[in-house]
């Protein structure tokens, strides 16, 4: 009869970019149970809302995560604007959409590189991050920051993009598409990658739905949920379809992210063609009085910012539910029954962001 042992996985591990901590219960080399522990890098960011004015807190909200930074600030300001009944200019909506898709591109390319590194594909890792540099260069040129942009504010955005620069951005993205196809073809068609990923860490559609999976983790299992379809910012004026795979394994989740990059390029192209002239912000007076659930689609899935104000400069409550936090129960299901050697790949397949999950 096999003896059970407990093997700690993380918070430090050569494969992990984030300090996730799991206690793996093993029988021989098979994982029979998983006990997640969160809180290792808890920073108490949500408490700061009581000490900073709501206009200043945008910068703190953006620093919840270094990779999802832009969309965190976008979600926060959209929530404040909804409470205060602020109608931002149409040009602002398109600019926010463009930058959010750039954020998605840079996050997916970062993840593809780390995923390749976990499987020993060092050259693919370096190539993915080489392409990511082009995305970061455009973000820096248009917002002033590579990772922390600081461009969103309540009532609009702080910077505009000239028509010439917008055309240059689209031309650069279109020029990247061949290299992106070459990169994604490795993940989608290379036999050694397929052998490593297919059939590993399978999450069925029903489990994904009832366990609350979001983002590529859900869409890789056939659950077509994408908050961009609600039409926030300018997404209601853009034609796109969520990328959905039905395999439910590591390969399917990888395929979703690989294909989503081309969807993001198409969305940016549509935005540049449709963006109107006009102001980029409106004057804001007063303070939020009420509560609102602001929802957007991060690269990892749906993020919710719950915001509550009482008419004063300091908010009463700001609570964030991030996609990684939601994807932990599905991750536990994924790991049960797998081999110990597959644990790093399965964990990375949900693209965990522990900085987001532990605020």
């Amino acid at each position: 009869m096999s003896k059970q042992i407990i093997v700690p996985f993380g918070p430090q591990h050569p494969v992990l970019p984030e300090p996730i901590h799991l206690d793996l219960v093993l029988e021989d080399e098979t994982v029979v149970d998983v006990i997640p522990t969160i809180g290792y890098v808890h920073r108490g960011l949500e408490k700061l809302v009581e000490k900073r004015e709501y206009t200043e807190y945008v910068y703190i909200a953006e620093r919840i995560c270094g990779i999802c930074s832009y969309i965190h600030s976008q979600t926060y300001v959209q929530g404040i604007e909804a409470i205060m009944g602020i109608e931002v200019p149409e040009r602002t909506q398109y600019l926010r959409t463009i930058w959010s898709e750039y954020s998605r591109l840079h996050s997916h390319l970062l993840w593809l590189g780390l995923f390749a590194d976990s499987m020993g594909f060092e050259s693919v890792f370096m190539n993915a991050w080489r392409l990511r540099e082009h995305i970061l260069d455009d973000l820096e040129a248009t917002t002033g920051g590579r990772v922390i942009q600081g461009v969103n504010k309540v009532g609009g955005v702080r910077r505009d993009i000239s028509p010439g620069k917008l055309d240059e951005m689209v031309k650069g993205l279109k020029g990247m598409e061949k290299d992106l196809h070459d990169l994604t073809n490795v993940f989608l068609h290379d036999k050694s990658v397929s052998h490593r990923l297919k059939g590993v860490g399978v999450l069925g559609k029903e489990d994904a739905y009832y366990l609350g999976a979001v983002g590529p983790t859900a869409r890789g299992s056939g659950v077509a949920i994408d908050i961009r379809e609600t039409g926030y910012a300018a997404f209601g004026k853009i034609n796109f379809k969520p990328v959905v795979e039905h395999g439910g394994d590591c390969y399917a989740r990888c395929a979703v992210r690989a294909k989503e990059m081309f969807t993001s390029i198409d969305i940016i192209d549509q935005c540049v063609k449709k963006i109107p002239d006009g102001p980029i912000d409106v004057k804001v007076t007063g303070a939020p009085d009420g509560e609102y659930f602001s929802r957007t689609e991060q690269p990892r899935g749906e993020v919710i910012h719950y915001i509550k104000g009482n008419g004063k400069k300091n908010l009463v409550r700001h609570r964030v539910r991030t996609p990684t936090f939601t994807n932990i129960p599905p991750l536990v299901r994924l790991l049960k029954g797998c081999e110990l050697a597959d644990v790093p790949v399965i964990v990375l397949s949900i693209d965990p962001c522990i900085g987001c999950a532990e605020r």
Side-chain angles (χ1 to χ4, degrees):
M1 192 171 176
S2 298
K3 180 181 178 181
Q4 290 189 351
I5 60 171
I6 296 178
V7 175
F9 180 81
Q12 282 84 27
H13 189 278
V15 173
L16 289 179
E18 295 271 353
I20 191 170
H21 182 202
L22 305 169
D23 286 324
L24 307 174
V25 182
L26 303 181
E27 286 184 1
D28 295 331
E29 292 291 314
T30 304
V31 178
V32 296
D33 199 6
V34 181
I35 305 167
T37 303
I38 62 174
Y40 182 73
V41 291
H42 180 67
R43 294 162 289 159
L45 290 178
E46 291 173 355
K47 180 66 176 175
L48 287 172
V49 77
E50 301 172 9
K51 301 179 180 180
R52 299 288 188 274
E53 293 187 7
Y54 75 93
T55 52
E56 299 173 342
Y57 193 81
V58 180
Y59 302 109
I60 297 173
E62 190 162 16
R63 282 161 175 78
I64 289 174
C65 173
I67 305 302
C68 326
S69 53
Y70 176 82
I71 299 180
H72 271 302
S73 68
Q74 179 185 0
T75 312
Y76 172 80
V77 297
Q78 285 182 178
I80 296 292
E81 288 159 1
I83 295 174
M84 299 180 69
I86 299 170
E87 291 287 338
V88 299
E90 190 176 6
R91 184 173 182 84
T92 295
Q93 295 174 0
Y94 278 93
L95 289 172
R96 287 178 176 175
T97 303
I98 289 170
W99 282 321
S100 69
E101 292 308 303
Y102 261 92
S103 177
R104 198 176 317 278
L105 281 167
H106 114 73
S107 178
H108 282 353
L109 282 168
L110 180 144
W111 176 83
L112 284 169
L114 294 173
F115 202 51
D117 182 54
S118 73
M119 296 183 288
F121 285 80
E122 294 294 334
S123 60
V124 179
F125 161 68
M126 296 302 293
N127 195 34
W129 281 39
R130 177 183 65 83
L131 294 174
R132 177 173 169 261
E133 283 300 305
H134 175 84
I135 304 299
L136 295 179
D137 287 345
D138 275 350
L139 280 172
E140 184 178 23
T142 55
T143 68
R146 282 165 56 88
V147 176
I148 301 293
Q149 282 76 39
V151 73
N152 276 315
K153 68 175 182 177
V154 178
V157 292
R158 300 180 186 280
R159 292 172 179 257
D160 202 352
I161 307 177
S162 68
K165 181 59 180 176
L166 286 170
D167 292 338
E168 181 185 324
M169 290 162 69
V170 172
K171 185 177 179 181
L173 291 173
K174 293 293 184 181
M176 279 180 61
E177 283 192 320
K178 182 183 181 302
D179 287 339
L180 279 176
H181 277 294
D182 291 341
L183 175 69
T184 55
N185 280 340
V186 175
F187 292 95
L188 299 178
H189 304 298
D190 185 89
K191 289 183 179 179
S192 57
V193 174
S194 298
H195 178 74
R196 187 74 182 88
L197 301 181
K198 283 189 174 180
V200 175
V202 178
L203 182 69
K205 183 176 181 179
E206 188 173 331
D207 284 341
Y209 181 82
Y210 284 106
L211 291 172
V214 295
T217 303
R219 293 192 288 274
S221 296
V223 181
I225 178 173
D226 192 320
I227 302 303
R228 290 177 291 179
E229 290 190 298
T230 61
Y232 70 88
F235 285 111
K237 303 161 189 172
I238 300 297
N239 295 318
F240 79 99
K241 290 184 178 180
V243 177
V244 180
E245 296 285 329
H246 298 277
D249 53 10
C250 290
Y251 178 85
R253 292 186 284 277
C254 179
V256 168
R257 291 186 178 90
K259 295 175 182 179
E260 274 188 354
M261 292 192 294
F262 300 100
T263 301
S264 291
I265 291 174
D266 181 59
I267 290 172
I268 293 169
D269 186 27
Q270 290 185 58
C271 285
V272 170
K273 290 176 180 176
K274 294 182 177 182
I275 188 169
D277 293 328
I280 59 172
D281 61 358
V282 295
K283 186 176 180 180
V284 176
T285 57
D289 187 5
E291 58 183 350
Y292 189 77
F293 286 91
S294 181
R295 304 162 66 205
T296 60
E297 184 74 16
Q298 275 189 355
R300 295 163 175 84
E302 177 191 20
V303 62
I304 300 174
H305 283 233
Y306 168 70
I307 300 166
K308 184 177 181 180
N310 60 358
K312 297 181 179 179
K313 293 293 185 180
N314 293 35
L315 295 176
V316 176
R317 190 80 170 100
H318 174 241
R319 176 69 176 169
V320 183
R321 197 211 69 177
T322 59
T324 298
F325 187 83
T326 312
N327 281 331
I328 288 177
L331 174 62
V332 171
R333 179 63 59 89
L334 285 169
L335 291 171
K336 288 183 179 180
C338 78
E339 296 298 310
L340 179 61
D342 291 330
V343 169
V345 172
I346 295 174
V347 171
L348 280 179
S349 74
I350 74 161
D351 191 10
C353 179
I354 306 305
C356 270
E358 302 178 5
R359 296 160 302 286

